[in-house]
Amino acid sequence: MTEQKLFGTDGIRGTVGQKPMTAEFALRLGVAVAQTFEGDAEPVRALVGMDTRESGSMFAHAIAAGITSCGADILWLGVMPTPGVAYLTRELGGTVGIVISASHNPYTDNGIKLFDRLGQKLSDGVEARIEGLLDTNEAEPEASRIGRSARYRHEDGEYLQFLLSHAPYLDGLKVGIDCANGAASDIAPHIFRRIGAKLIVINHNPDGRNINVECGSGHPQAIRDCIIRDGLEVGVAFDGDADRVQLVDCRGRLVTGDHMLAINAVSRGESSVVATQMTNLGTERYLTEQGISLYRTRVGDRHVFEALRERELLLGGEQSGHLLFLDLASTGDGLLTALQTLAAVRKSDATLEDWIDAIPVFPQTLINVKVPPDQKAALAICDEVTAAVHKAKEALGTDGRIDLRPSGTEPLIRIMVEGDDVDAVGDVAHRVAEAVEEAAKIV
């Protein structure tokens, strides 16, 4: 067995050239993936896509080499949004979907995400089986048992047609799109033009290193500037692999995943939705007023997915703009989320601005404290940090919340504090961050 769990909340991720993100590891992972699934289907067929990072081809070819060495076949998808890979894995009868992407991280990072034949993230049990094989497998290809590879015909457009089938006609709406120089750079402009938008597109010329650099959903100021400068009606900002999205209204206000969750819940007539500990109290109270229950779970779309399945619900999401429509798709899809939200607004008697006016937002502060990767879990529960969090809760009272957690994808402790007093929220957050920093020196 490996020394520590490799799979985080969103696959395996790390700095390129450092363990585990090396080409040699990707080769071994390919072998482990093929061996894991070969008993479930014959023959194994893996669909492989990636975002626009310069290291993507290296990892894609390495993992494909491992898979084909075991007699499994590969279908190359090329640059493709993560949800597109999940969708095509299910629709084209794949055994496993593989995405080479580190989502919203910088180009110096990369990652590997895996989906099962239903286009869903792997269960903990399957991930454990793969990890268990990593240190024991060896690629020993036989001349008569080498897998084949083929390229996907993008002109067939199954994923494109799926998105268009759930899109509104925008009838000349003035839209700005920030593609984050990532996987949405080709498909997003094409879709929005097809549905009648008057379009301005920014950050859609990837060079392998500019993905997520001061752009996309993680840096919404770029699309805000575009909205104000060009007098547009709405902005749409994707992250690097297009599984999440943030909108901006015509006044330059950020439309978060919380807002989009509320808009879609009301439009669809949902009785209950699932959100995370990060979801704003204002959203919860707004939904309660609309007769909609909100259930909270841990941060991470896989936890939202599990809670939706457990409660037999269809709609859930995260503040980051990662929403799940389980009646439409098996995983979060930034393109689908944007289209569904715009459709909901156009179906209503209100503008996007009216919706944002109606959904309250409590002051919220987010602080990320950088810590050694192997200390994240211990720091989050050590006595000094636990005591600081307890004091913070006492200071906030019943009209505030604090959530402290180790990041599932980066070497960070994430601290979220919200309440009805912006100054108190900021003060509490910084005191807890200082406690984490001090604890990191002695753990």
Side-chain angles (χ1 to χ4, degrees):
M1 289 290 289
T2 51
E3 293 182 358
Q4 63 181 45
K5 192 175 187 297
L6 289 167
F7 285 92
T9 56
D10 199 20
I12 300 169
R13 192 176 300 185
T15 301
V16 174
Q18 298 179 18
K19 292 182 178 180
M21 291 310 299
T22 65
E24 183 271 339
F25 169 79
L27 175 69
R28 290 192 294 112
L29 180 64
V31 174
V33 168
Q35 291 174 341
T36 296
F37 285 98
E38 64 184 358
D40 299 333
E42 194 63 44
V44 174
R45 185 174 184 238
L47 280 68
V48 181
M50 61 186 183
D51 66 23
T52 57
R53 291 160 216 272
E54 65 180 9
S55 62
S57 293
M58 175 181 74
F59 289 116
H61 284 89
I63 199 169
I67 290 172
T68 54
S69 74
C70 296
D73 295 335
I74 291 289
L75 179 63
W76 289 104
L77 302 179
V79 173
M80 172 75 68
T82 289
V85 177
Y87 177 81
L88 291 172
T89 300
R90 184 180 71 245
E91 291 299 306
L92 300 182
T95 311
V96 59
I98 302 171
V99 185
I100 309 301
S101 173
S103 191
H104 54 280
N105 287 26
Y107 86 93
T108 50
D109 290 349
N110 216 328
I112 302 170
K113 306 180 185 185
L114 302 175
F115 295 96
D116 65 17
R117 63 177 61 254
L118 298 178
Q120 299 171 0
K121 291 186 176 180
L122 302 186
S123 67
D124 290 342
V126 174
E127 289 180 349
R129 285 167 58 192
I130 292 172
E131 290 196 24
L133 289 167
L134 275 169
D135 288 341
T136 59
N137 62 29
E138 292 184 7
E140 297 180 349
E142 301 173 13
S144 61
R145 192 173 175 267
I146 301 297
R148 299 182 178 183
S149 64
R151 290 195 174 274
Y152 175 66
R153 289 169 47 89
H154 283 270
E155 57 266 31
D156 293 340
E158 288 92 346
Y159 179 54
L160 173 67
Q161 293 305 318
F162 160 72
L163 292 171
L164 289 172
S165 71
H166 296 291
Y169 185 67
L170 297 183
D171 195 24
L173 188 74
K174 293 182 288 185
V175 179
I177 295 182
D178 184 342
C179 298
N181 293 311
S185 294
D186 287 332
I187 190 171
H190 181 72
I191 288 172
F192 275 85
R193 290 191 178 101
R194 286 276 297 270
I195 62 176
K198 291 184 178 179
L199 200 60
I200 290 180
V201 186
I202 62 174
N203 300 312
H204 62 298
N205 295 301
D207 64 7
R209 295 191 172 192
N210 59 3
I211 186 171
N212 299 317
V213 177
E214 299 301 321
C215 60
S217 62
H219 302 274
Q221 191 58 48
I223 195 65
R224 280 172 169 159
D225 292 344
C226 180
I227 294 297
I228 301 303
R229 180 185 66 242
D230 296 305
L232 305 180
E233 295 172 87
V234 63
V236 183
F238 300 101
D239 70 336
D241 69 335
D243 66 351
R244 65 177 68 180
V245 67
Q246 302 273 20
L247 304 186
V248 174
D249 74 4
C250 69
R251 301 181 207 170
R253 294 180 298 179
L254 189 63
V255 183
T256 68
D258 290 348
H259 292 110
M260 291 184 284
L261 179 64
I263 292 169
N264 282 285
V266 172
S267 176
R268 290 162 53 104
E270 303 289 349
S271 61
S272 301
V273 297
V274 172
T276 76
Q277 295 300 331
M278 299 294 289
T279 296
N280 197 277
L281 272 174
T283 301
E284 183 173 11
R285 294 186 179 183
Y286 172 79
L287 288 172
T288 299
E289 291 172 359
Q290 307 303 313
I292 301 171
S293 300
L294 182 146
Y295 298 103
R296 293 185 185 270
T297 187
R298 287 187 292 163
V299 173
D301 67 291
R302 69 183 299 150
H303 300 305
V304 175
F305 176 84
E306 290 165 358
L308 287 170
R309 291 286 297 271
E310 180 181 340
R311 296 181 178 274
E312 298 184 341
L313 301 175
L314 298 175
L315 179 64
E318 299 186 274
Q319 190 179 74
S320 62
H322 202 146
L323 268 63
L324 288 163
F325 300 82
L326 288 192
D327 54 334
L328 303 179
S330 58
T331 191
D333 187 328
L335 286 154
L336 179 65
T337 297
L339 296 171
Q340 286 289 286
T341 302
L342 293 175
V345 171
R346 292 182 75 80
K347 187 175 77 171
S348 73
D349 294 326
T351 64
L352 181 60
E353 292 68 47
D354 293 333
W355 281 98
I356 303 310
D357 287 341
I359 302 170
V361 178
F362 274 43
Q364 189 178 86
T365 293
L366 305 174
I367 298 179
N368 294 322
V369 180
K370 192 167 185 177
V371 298
D374 59 348
Q375 293 183 11
K376 290 190 298 184
L379 282 169
I381 59 173
C382 74
D383 291 343
E384 295 83 358
V385 172
T386 300
V389 170
H390 180 72
K391 289 181 181 178
K393 290 179 178 178
E394 289 183 337
L396 293 167
T398 57
D399 286 324
R401 296 190 307 124
I402 179 170
D403 180 71
L404 181 146
R405 65 182 180 87
S407 169
T409 58
E410 298 176 83
L412 303 171
I413 295 288
R414 301 191 190 278
I415 301 161
M416 183 281 294
V417 180
E418 69 178 2
D420 57 1
D421 185 322
V422 64
D423 292 330
V425 164
D427 180 63
V428 165
H430 282 93
R431 279 191 276 127
V432 174
E434 289 172 358
V436 173
E437 291 170 348
E438 288 300 314
K441 298 176 181 178
I442 59 176
V443 170

